[in-house]
Amino acid sequence: MRIVYSDRYGIDIGPHIFPTAKFALVREALLGCGIAGPADFVQPSPASWEELGLVHTAGYLEKARAGGFSPEEIARLEMPWSESMVEGFRMMAGGTLRTAREALGTPARRPGPLPSGWGVAAHLGGGFHHAFPDHGEGFCLFNDVAVAVRVLTTAGEVDRVAIVDCDVHHGNGTAATLGHDPAVFTFSIHQQNNYPAEKPAGSLDIGMADGAGDTEYLLALDRALPRVFETRAQLTFYLAGADPFQGDQLGGLRLTRYGLRRRDRMVLLAARDAGSRVAVVLAGGYARNLEDTVAIHVATIEEAALLQ
Ligand SMILES: [Zn+2]
């Protein structure tokens, strides 16, 4: 299975609850366990400013590029601005697009009929679902999945896309950007009583109660997935957030590592059964012990690799 990664993802944002070291650690663990070999890894190119402009406003991109954010905008983003931060997020937006094309079997951009068969690829990054067209928030500068969707649908590379967002936080930026796009089905399953306070409606939103565990979560997911895949999406972006984990500092659900692996398998199998190719992106993960976050992401990649 193709795995997209760049060393540029280890953005220096100072001491922070967002562990940007996790990207490299997941890569090391995949290599160390033999789940992936060096030849499986693919280096992305950064998303171009034109590609980012299919989602983000010109004014926002100009501020991001030149460091023109106000203190209020930086506070909302919850990260310090730097050129390398912007470049890291631009690389990750390009990485999500590359992952989608690897899953589609068309790593070089190629509109037209899709190759037959099923495909899955994984991105050791991405899932910045709190970024809106005109602002960033919650550690999310550019909405990589929305950018990839817009690039692929605008170019006619795919017609129907699904987003399965299993991060513990609602995908507010994604819903606001793509929630009314007839080519896209946006599904979010999250903790209702958590950030973001305002949750714009997507195609399907499930807000779980505080403290919900494996059983309640997996039951709700199992009921929702047929609705997602009856849309016959050709491509699914799976945001496999590690933050529904019981040991997460920014989440209030109580899924176990075993439950999260079951979740991954359910989503991946449902997509495969529906003939939808899958681009996996990591999204959030803020466990008290970084090793837990890394292990959860590694398990997701392993589940995907087993199906390939
Ligand atoms: Zn999250």
Side-chain angles (χ1 to χ4, degrees):
M1 182 179 69
R2 291 287 187 209
I3 301 173
V4 177
Y5 168 81
S6 163
D7 285 332
R8 304 282 288 280
Y9 296 175
I11 305 161
D12 181 7
I13 50 174
H16 203 287
I17 194 161
F18 172 28
T20 58
K22 78 176 184 179
F23 306 117
L25 292 171
V26 171
R27 178 177 180 276
E28 273 171 37
L30 289 170
L31 289 167
C33 304
I35 296 168
D40 295 321
F41 285 88
V42 176
Q43 175 84 22
S45 310
S48 69
W49 292 98
E50 290 72 28
E51 288 170 336
L52 295 173
L54 293 172
V55 166
H56 295 288
T57 64
Y60 177 64
L61 292 178
E62 185 49 39
K63 281 188 277 189
R65 196 172 191 162
F69 291 134
S70 68
E72 292 75 25
E73 286 170 315
I74 291 293
R76 187 154 60 165
L77 193 55
E78 300 185 66
M79 284 186 302
W81 182 91
S82 70
E83 231 167 82
S84 61
M85 185 274 273
V86 175
E87 288 309 301
F89 277 93
R90 206 153 73 84
M91 188 66 90
M92 279 199 262
T96 293
L97 176 59
R98 178 63 186 268
T99 306
R101 286 186 171 139
E102 293 287 349
L104 291 168
T106 56
R109 178 180 176 277
R110 200 189 70 185
L114 290 171
S116 59
W118 186 71
V120 59
H123 186 200
L124 304 192
F128 298 103
H129 58 169
H130 302 309
F132 287 70
D134 65 350
H135 74 271
E137 58 179 67
F139 325 147
C140 298
L141 185 68
F142 302 131
N143 195 315
D144 55 294
V145 168
V147 169
V149 167
R150 281 279 151 80
V151 171
L152 295 168
T153 56
T154 303
E157 293 178 62
V158 287
D159 302 318
R160 297 179 307 282
V161 179
I163 295 170
V164 175
D165 187 340
C166 292
D167 190 277
V168 81
H169 305 102
H170 177 257
N172 55 345
T174 305
T177 308
L178 300 174
H180 301 290
D181 185 331
V184 189
F185 190 95
T186 63
F187 166 51
S188 179
I189 179 167
H190 47 268
Q191 182 191 2
Q192 186 62 26
N193 182 29
N194 199 333
Y195 170 89
E198 272 186 44
K199 299 175 177 63
S203 310
L204 176 61
D205 292 293
I206 298 179
M208 301 299 299
D210 296 357
D214 291 347
T215 307
E216 303 100 296
Y217 185 97
L218 294 172
L219 197 60
L221 183 64
D222 190 45
R223 287 186 180 139
L225 289 174
R227 288 184 60 189
V228 177
F229 291 110
E230 74 187 11
T231 62
R232 303 179 57 79
Q234 298 151 304
L235 173 67
T236 298
F237 289 90
Y238 173 35
L239 283 78
D243 48 13
F245 178 55
Q246 58 192 359
D248 198 272
Q249 301 172 89
L250 298 183
L253 299 186
R254 291 200 193 122
L255 273 72
T256 63
R257 278 168 55 173
Y258 173 73
L260 287 161
R261 190 184 267 271
R262 287 276 308 275
R263 172 199 72 168
D264 296 335
R265 193 175 306 171
M266 280 173 63
V267 172
L268 291 161
L269 283 174
R272 191 181 69 171
D273 289 351
S276 182
R277 292 158 166 90
V278 184
V280 179
V281 301
L282 296 187
Y286 316 93
R288 272 180 283 283
N289 300 311
L290 181 55
E291 308 88 76
D292 284 325
T293 296
V294 171
I296 292 162
H297 288 319
V298 166
T300 301
I301 307 299
E302 185 176 23
E303 288 296 328
L306 285 170
L307 291 187
Q308 173 65 304

